[in-house]
């Protein structure tokens, strides 16, 4: 079985079916939050800016999958009225402007709550709505640098490794905005009172490191890079090169998993007690030499289905064809574009089939009529 052209359920399904979301177009974490909500069945309407459109680029912007698009110029009174009309009929509005920009455009929390007191107003920034850096420009790497998260990622004696923008923009940003919005939405359904959700990447990325602060306080983590249990400091939680230049990821932390790992690696009779840090350089050398005796495919076959906690390091393209991920339909194909399927999964209200990303303004008349919003959209 390969990744499927369509998932199990029709559009409009999912636990958030019936929830209306307005997303003021932006980049990165706020659109990711909107994608999550759309994947779960919400009707997410993106308010795009007017101007020339690269249709091919728009069709491949997967963060906009499953959404609908209207065009409105927020610097024009008519465009502002359109957004406020949508907000009046929405459950949620999300924006990713710098602090104060939405207010200057006339679509800030006060203006929206005047028309819809139950609205959940989600705000996504890097630095937060207040603080010395609130009005400064920034990107993912700077946010995680300030929180200590970037410092902790990498090998001993080397510079920190950039973890794509998964830790900041998406893990610490868009995901936390989604959680905050859903929490506030639940509250609004109980008492009819909306509120502002201030989601900052510096807050979310810091929150992701909570377990490490506990280990640090307990003396089980050193505030250094590449010397700890989960950062390649130990030889049985690391990545090793194979004979063909591939790599295997090893996470044999628990004693019984470690025992299975060294048995299948073929070095059980050569390893000293592995909990003693003084032998870790010897173990690392032994493991590295062993892995270089076979190809990644051969080692994958050796460790497949075992409790050794070893897995091949796959590329994006290779992951699409992995047997386990294929069996679970972890990936899907929409409009000819392979992509991750919605997650997580729900037994009673399965997530919707992702729709293709829209071209800006594609659903203007449709949305305004359906939501009963006076005005015109491009």
């Amino acid at each position: 079985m390969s990744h499927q052209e369509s998932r199990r359920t029709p559009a409009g399904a999912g636990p958030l079916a019936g929830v209306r979301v307005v997303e003021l177009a932006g980049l990165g974490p706020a659109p990711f939050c909107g994608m999550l909500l759309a994947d779960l069945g919400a009707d997410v309407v993106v308010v795009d800016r007017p101007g020339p459109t690269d249709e091919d680029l728009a069709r491949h912007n997967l963060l906009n999958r499953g959404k609908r698009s209207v065009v409105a110029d927020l610097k024009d009174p008519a465009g502002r009225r359109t957004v406020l009309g949508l907000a009046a009929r929405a459950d949620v509005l999300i924006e990713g402007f710098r602090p104060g920009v939405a207010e200057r455009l006339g679509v800030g929390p006060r203006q929206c709550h005047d028309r819809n007191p139950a609205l959940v107003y989600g705000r996504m920034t890097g630095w937060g709505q207040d603080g010395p850096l609130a009005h400064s420009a920034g990107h993912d790497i700077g946010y995680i640098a300030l929180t200590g998260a970037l410092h902790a990622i990498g090998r001993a004696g080397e510079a920190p490794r950039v973890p794509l923008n998964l830790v900041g923009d998406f893990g610490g940003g868009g995901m936390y905005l989604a959680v905050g919005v859903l929490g506030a939405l639940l509250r609004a359904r109980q008492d009819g009172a909306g509120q502002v959700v201030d989601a900052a990447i510096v807050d979310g990325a810091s929150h992701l490191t909570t377990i490490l602060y506990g280990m640090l306080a307990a003396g089980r983590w050193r505030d250094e890079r590449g010397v700890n249990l989960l950062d390649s400091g130990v030889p049985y939680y690391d990545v090793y090169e194979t004979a063909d230049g591939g790599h295997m990821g090893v996470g044999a932390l628990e004693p019984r998993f470690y025992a299975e790992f060294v048995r299948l690696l073929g070095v059980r009779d050569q390893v000293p007690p592995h909990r003693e840090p003084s032998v870790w350089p010897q173990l690392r050398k032994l493991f590295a030499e062993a892995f270089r005796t076979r190809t990644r495919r051969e080692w994958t076959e050796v460790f497949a289905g075992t409790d050794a906690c070893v897995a091949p390091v796959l590329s994006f393209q290779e992951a699409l064809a992995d047997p386990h991920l294929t069996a679970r339909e972890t990936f899907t194909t929409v409009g000819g574009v392979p992509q991750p399927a919605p997650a997580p999964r729900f037994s009673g209200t399965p997530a919707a089939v992702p729709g293709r990303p829209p071209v800006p303004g594609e659903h203007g008349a449709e949305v305004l009529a359906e939501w009963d919003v006076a005005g015109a959209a491009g």
Side-chain angles (χ1 to χ4, degrees), residues 235-251:
Y236 40 91
Y237 197 90
D238 207 345
V239 175
Y240 291 93
E241 186 176 3
T242 58
D244 58 344
H247 294 86
M248 301 294 291
V250 177

Side-chain angles (χ1 to χ4, degrees), residues 248 252 256-265 299-311:
M248 301 294 291
R256 65 189 181 93
F257 301 154
Y258 176 81
E260 182 73 344
F261 161 60
V262 295
R263 182 184 72 81
L264 292 171
L265 190 63
W299 283 120
T300 299
E301 293 173 353
V302 168
F303 290 107
T306 73
D307 283 346
C309 299
V310 179

